[in-house]
């Protein structure tokens, strides 16, 4: 061997990843403070609400109808069932349309056409429109198809469905786009049609992403009160919804109604109802995280 | 067809390859008697391909012989993959791609407006550079093709088994057919993709650098497999590896890229097309000789 021995390079001892200058420490502290602020406010809100509502975590809250005469035992029954009906109907309306629209835009649309680009542009804007507008839109739509009553589950679901449609479309497109091109090419090269390729390869592979995005969208819709107020959802309902043409009330409306009451019992019931609604949202988000982790696929 | 000297796997072939590599002229060990002119299954006449304004391939004329392996070789950007993807209309999927000239399959132009690209791809299968098994079980990967094209098979199980046997994969996977294809090694995945392709009983199999992501052992498996499959199929392979072209192919087409004086865009063109032994031992074009002997590309 030749006698050229290269001296081993002395490694710098300063850890670049853990820069300890005063400026960066300050910056890190500011970041932590911001995070702490967010969490503290959130926790304060949840805890104070839970404490306020502590007196009403009883079975009557779930099983009884809302009542002005017996504020001690006023309950969420109609609102809970109404919200469940509303969410299922919303999902049935929005999910198929949202997925179909996303698949069209991602797999079949010719992006050089002006009308497809127009849809693209508007989708981003639609997701940012105030929810109240969707309530007005829903009322307008059902009036056009000749439905006279507006405070029914179908109309509420149209409003919420329109509200979450852009979110569903955008998240579905992301999920569809994440399916590698090689999978599509492999399918097409075997003589599958583009439709077969979409149906048998792309969509099954995208389902976890689609499910996650859809559930997140629904958990946003579940807390919406504004579009339902525009639609004219009843505030006091003393019967269970029986179908999509049934009048109903929903959790956010019930909470809104109780908080505008002056009697203390309703304030307590409202706080308890808020916790129930929060629990439902957390449940949905938890489900979304579960699906994402369980079915996540690394390509 | 002449006796096939290369079908049996040589025990030392992997080591041979590393010994071969520094040689200037790769050994052509795939000698067999070929007709002077290929009996054309497929044919390109004045094939030009454009991506938008970019002229990717210029005036390619090629004939691909039945039950032969034709290798397309050349430096990067010479358009060999583009030509390959024209042969089963996979270029249709690229936005802005345009094909001029004629690509004939048994005499019929596959770019004729009356011809369905889906139908073309059912006859002319393709294996890709990177193994791309579907996120399904091994069985379902192979059964996918026959299912989607509505192929009438007596017994799907034995059909799948046959395809896996033909792809020399059966013994390795017969006990885990229901397991995900992602659990296989890269070489096994690529043989699965070959099994998937031959399960639809194509006439021609296109292979786009099928060994580029594989180790030498897996590569030698695939090469042996290609030579076996030649008995039933017409194979067209794009490869960066000259030794591979020399080892497996009957005929070789050498492409190169010509830069445009004004734009600098490189247009691919066919330099020379002949029997592999001629290309590697006695090329008629200086550019081929320079490339083969490792002086450029």
């Amino acid at each position: 061997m030749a006698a050229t021995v290269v001296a081993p390079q002395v490694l710098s001892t300063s850890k670049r990843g853990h820069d300890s200058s005063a400026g960066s420490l300050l910056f890190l502290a500011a970041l932590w403070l911001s995070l702490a602020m967010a969490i503290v406010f959130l926790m304060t809100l949840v805890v104070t609400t839970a404490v306020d509502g502590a007196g009403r975590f009883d079975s009557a809250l779930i099983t009884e109808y809302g009542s002005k005469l017996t504020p001690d035992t006023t309950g969420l029954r109609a609102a809970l069932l109404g919200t469940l009906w509303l969410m299922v109907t919303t999902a049935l309306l929005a999910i198929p349309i949202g997925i179909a629209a996303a698949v069209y835009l991602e797999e079949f649309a010719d992006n050089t056409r002006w009308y497809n680009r127009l849809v693209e542009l508007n989708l981003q804007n639609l997701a940012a429109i105030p929810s109240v507008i969707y309530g007005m839109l829903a009322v307008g739509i059902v009036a056009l198809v000749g439905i006279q009553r507006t405070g029914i589950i179908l109309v509420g679901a149209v409003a919420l469905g329109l509200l979450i449609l852009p979110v569903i479309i955008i998240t579905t497109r992301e999920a569809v786009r994440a399916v590698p091109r090689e999978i599509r090419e492999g399918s097409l090269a075997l003589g599958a049609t583009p439709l077969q390729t979409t149906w048998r390869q792309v969509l099954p592979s995208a389902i976890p992403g689609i499910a996650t995005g859809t559930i997140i969208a629904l958990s946003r819709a579940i807390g919406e009160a504004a579009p339902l107020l525009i639609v004219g959802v009843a505030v006091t309902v003393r019967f269970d919804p029986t179908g999509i043409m049934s009048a109903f009330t929903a959790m956010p409306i019930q909470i809104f109604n109780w908080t505008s009451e002056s009697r203390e019992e309703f304030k307590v019931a409202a706080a308890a109802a808020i916790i129930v609604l929060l629990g439902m949202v957390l449940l949905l988000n938890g489900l979304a995280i579960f699906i994402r982790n369980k079915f996540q696929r690394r390509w | 067809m002449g006796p096939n000297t290369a079908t049996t796997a040589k025990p030392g072939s992997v080591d041979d390859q590393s010994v071969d590599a520094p040689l200037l002229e790769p050994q052509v060990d795939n000698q067999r008697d070929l007709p002077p002119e290929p009996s054309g299954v497929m044919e390109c006449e004045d094939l030009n391909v454009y991506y938008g304004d970019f002229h990717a391939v210029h005036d390619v004329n090629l004939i691909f012989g039945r039950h032969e392996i034709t290798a397309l070789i050349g430096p990067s950007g010479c358009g060999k993959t583009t030509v390959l993807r024209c042969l089963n209309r996979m270029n249709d999927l690229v936005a802005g791609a345009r094909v001029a000239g004629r690509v004939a399959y048994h005499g019929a132009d596959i770019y004729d407006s009356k011809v369905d690209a889906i139908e073309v791809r059912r006859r002319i299968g393709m294996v890709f550079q990177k193994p791309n098994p579907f996120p399904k079980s091994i069985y379902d990967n192979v059964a996918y093709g026959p299912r989607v094209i509505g192929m009438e098979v007596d017994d799907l199980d034995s059909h799948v088994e046959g395809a896996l046997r033909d792809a020399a994969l059966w013994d390795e996977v017969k006990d885990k057919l229901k397991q995900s294809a992602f659990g296989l090694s890269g070489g096994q995945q690529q043989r699965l993709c070959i099994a998937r392709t031959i399960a639809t009983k194509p006439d021609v199999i296109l292979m786009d650098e099928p060994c580029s992501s594989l180790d030498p052992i897996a590569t030698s498996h695939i090469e042996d497999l290609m030579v076996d499959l030649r008995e039933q199929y017409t194979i067209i392979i794009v490869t960066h590896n000259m030794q591979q072209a020399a080892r497996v192919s009957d005929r070789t087409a050498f492409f190169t890229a010509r830069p445009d004086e004004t734009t600098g865009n490189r247009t691919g063109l066919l330099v020379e097309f002949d029997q592999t032994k001629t290309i590697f031992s006695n090329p008629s074009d200086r550019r081929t000789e320079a490339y083969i002997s490792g002086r450029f590309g």
Side-chain angles (χ1 to χ4, degrees):
Chain A
M1 269 291 151
T4 49
V5 175
V6 178
Q9 196 109 43
V10 177
L11 291 172
S12 159
T13 48
S14 77
K15 295 182 212 150
R16 280 168 187 269
H18 300 271
D19 197 345
S20 53
S21 69
S24 63
L25 279 180
L26 208 66
F27 182 61
L28 200 62
L31 291 182
W32 276 103
L33 196 69
S34 311
L35 183 66
M37 292 255 282
I39 291 178
V40 165
F41 276 121
L42 188 66
M43 290 318 291
T44 312
L45 216 71
V46 172
V47 170
T48 51
T49 311
V51 169
D52 287 349
R56 277 311 313 274
F57 289 121
D58 48 30
S59 58
L61 185 73
I62 307 289
T63 55
E64 292 296 318
Y65 295 109
S67 167
K68 301 257 179 210
L69 304 174
T70 55
D72 280 340
T73 56
T74 188
L76 279 170
R77 181 187 176 120
L80 253 172
L81 288 171
T83 286
L84 285 178
W85 268 94
L86 186 64
M87 283 300 115
V88 171
T89 315
T90 301
L92 290 178
L93 283 177
I95 293 172
I97 297 175
I99 292 177
V103 166
Y104 168 75
L105 286 171
E106 205 55 40
E107 300 287 301
F108 297 99
D110 178 357
N111 279 334
T112 57
R113 302 278 174 197
W114 65 268
Y115 45 85
N116 286 325
R117 285 213 302 272
L118 190 74
V119 172
E120 294 256 2
L121 190 72
N122 279 311
L123 259 178
Q124 304 294 334
N125 291 333
L126 274 178
I129 286 180
S131 58
V132 137
I133 310 288
Y134 286 104
M136 297 166 72
L137 186 61
V139 172
I141 288 173
V142 296
L144 277 179
V145 292
I147 296 174
Q148 301 296 326
R149 298 161 59 215
T150 57
I152 58 175
I153 286 170
L154 180 65
V155 184
V158 168
L160 293 187
L162 288 168
L163 172 74
I164 64 172
L165 201 54
V167 183
I168 292 179
I169 294 174
I170 290 168
T171 50
T172 302
R173 290 187 68 184
E174 301 282 340
V176 166
R177 204 176 301 153
V179 178
R181 194 173 50 102
E182 287 82 13
I183 296 295
R184 297 180 177 82
E185 288 194 335
S187 174
L188 291 167
L190 288 171
T193 63
L195 203 62
Q196 285 173 323
T197 301
T198 302
W199 201 246
R200 294 180 179 228
Q201 297 290 353
V202 177
L203 272 181
S205 300
I207 277 178
I210 295 173
T212 312
T214 305
I215 294 170
I216 298 284
L218 284 175
S219 81
R220 180 192 164 186
I222 202 171
E224 281 291 346
L228 298 182
L229 285 172
I230 297 289
V231 162
V233 168
V235 286
T236 308
V237 173
R238 295 188 54 82
F239 53 85
D240 296 340
T242 52
I244 58 168
M245 302 305 277
S246 169
F248 74 111
T249 189
M251 298 279 293
I253 303 292
Q254 186 73 71
I255 292 166
F256 174 73
N257 178 30
W258 281 344
T259 50
S260 50
E261 288 281 333
S262 57
R263 278 172 289 181
E264 186 57 30
E265 292 90 334
F266 288 112
K267 305 268 188 227
V268 175
I274 287 170
I275 296 298
V276 172
L277 183 59
L278 251 175
M280 291 167 84
V281 171
L282 286 178
L283 209 67
L284 279 175
N285 288 357
L287 184 67
I289 292 168
F290 172 76
I291 289 176
R292 194 184 62 202
N293 290 344
K294 184 155 170 60
F295 298 102
Q296 200 168 39
R297 185 172 282 129
R298 304 234 175 267
W299 297 100
Chain B
M1 289 297 146
N4 193 338
T5 53
T7 42
T8 48
K10 300 182 301 305
S13 62
V14 177
D15 296 327
D16 286 351
Q17 184 186 335
S18 55
V19 174
D20 277 353
L23 290 180
L24 289 184
E25 291 186 9
Q27 296 295 306
V28 179
D29 61 356
N30 184 38
Q31 311 251 355
R32 58 173 190 163
D33 296 327
L34 292 171
E37 285 297 315
S39 64
V41 173
M42 294 199 76
E43 212 169 317
C44 301
E45 284 171 34
D46 298 329
L47 177 69
N48 281 273
V49 188
Y50 306 84
Y51 295 118
D53 295 332
F54 171 54
H55 192 178
V57 172
H58 175 74
D59 278 351
V60 169
N61 289 283
L62 274 174
I63 302 177
F64 301 102
R66 169 172 287 276
H67 298 311
E68 289 182 10
I69 300 178
T70 306
L72 312 182
I73 63 167
S76 296
C78 69
K80 51 194 189 305
T81 295
T82 296
V83 169
L84 191 77
R85 291 173 67 98
C86 283
L87 299 179
N88 71 342
R89 294 189 58 174
M90 287 303 278
N91 268 353
D92 290 15
L93 309 173
V94 180
R98 188 162 57 81
V99 173
R102 196 174 128 91
V103 178
Y105 170 74
H106 290 290
D109 187 357
I110 63 168
Y111 283 93
D112 189 290
S113 60
K114 289 191 284 293
V115 172
D116 183 7
I118 306 297
E119 191 62 35
V120 169
R121 294 184 201 126
R122 289 179 183 183
R123 310 276 175 88
I124 306 166
M126 189 165 196
V127 176
F128 296 86
Q129 188 169 350
K130 201 176 127 215
N132 60 344
F134 300 132
K136 295 171 180 285
S137 71
I138 293 166
Y139 182 95
D140 285 337
N141 260 276
V142 181
Y144 180 76
R147 280 175 179 154
V148 292
I149 66 176
M151 201 169 159
E152 286 179 11
V153 290
D154 293 336
D155 176 18
L156 192 58
D157 288 357
S158 57
H159 187 79
V160 167
E161 178 180 338
L164 285 167
R165 280 189 191 282
D166 285 351
L169 190 62
W170 173 253
D171 289 335
E172 291 160 65
V173 300
K174 63 184 174 196
D175 298 324
K176 49 179 181 180
L177 291 173
K178 296 291 169 198
Q179 290 176 26
S180 166
F182 286 4
L184 298 176
S185 72
Q188 289 174 325
Q189 287 189 1
Q190 194 63 302
R191 275 180 284 149
L192 179 65
C193 292
I194 294 174
R196 187 173 78 182
T197 303
I198 59 189
T200 60
K201 297 282 172 225
D203 193 12
V204 180
I205 301 176
L206 310 177
M207 297 188 176
D208 185 4
E209 297 182 38
C211 304
S212 64
S213 63
L214 305 181
D215 63 47
I217 294 172
T219 299
S220 81
H221 283 157
I222 304 266
E223 288 179 3
D224 292 339
L225 178 58
M226 276 191 264
V227 177
D228 286 345
L229 291 174
R230 177 174 62 185
E231 301 300 317
Q232 296 176 61
Y233 304 97
T234 297
I235 298 176
I236 304 168
I237 174 177
V238 163
T239 179
H240 265 299
N241 181 336
M242 277 186 290
Q243 280 79 16
Q244 183 168 66
R247 280 193 298 266
V248 302
S249 72
D250 298 299
R251 292 177 207 271
T252 298
F254 172 66
F255 289 78
T256 193
R258 181 184 59 192
D260 187 291
E261 284 105 15
T262 48
T263 60
N265 286 336
R266 289 152 63 89
T267 299
L269 60 151
L270 177 66
V271 175
E272 192 172 352
F273 174 51
D274 212 324
Q275 296 198 12
T276 299
K277 55 188 175 204
T278 312
I279 291 276
F280 281 92
S281 60
N282 187 22
S284 55
D285 193 288
R286 294 177 62 117
R287 288 169 291 181
T288 314
E289 195 188 350
Y291 184 74
I292 300 291
S293 57
R295 272 180 274 141
F296 104 102

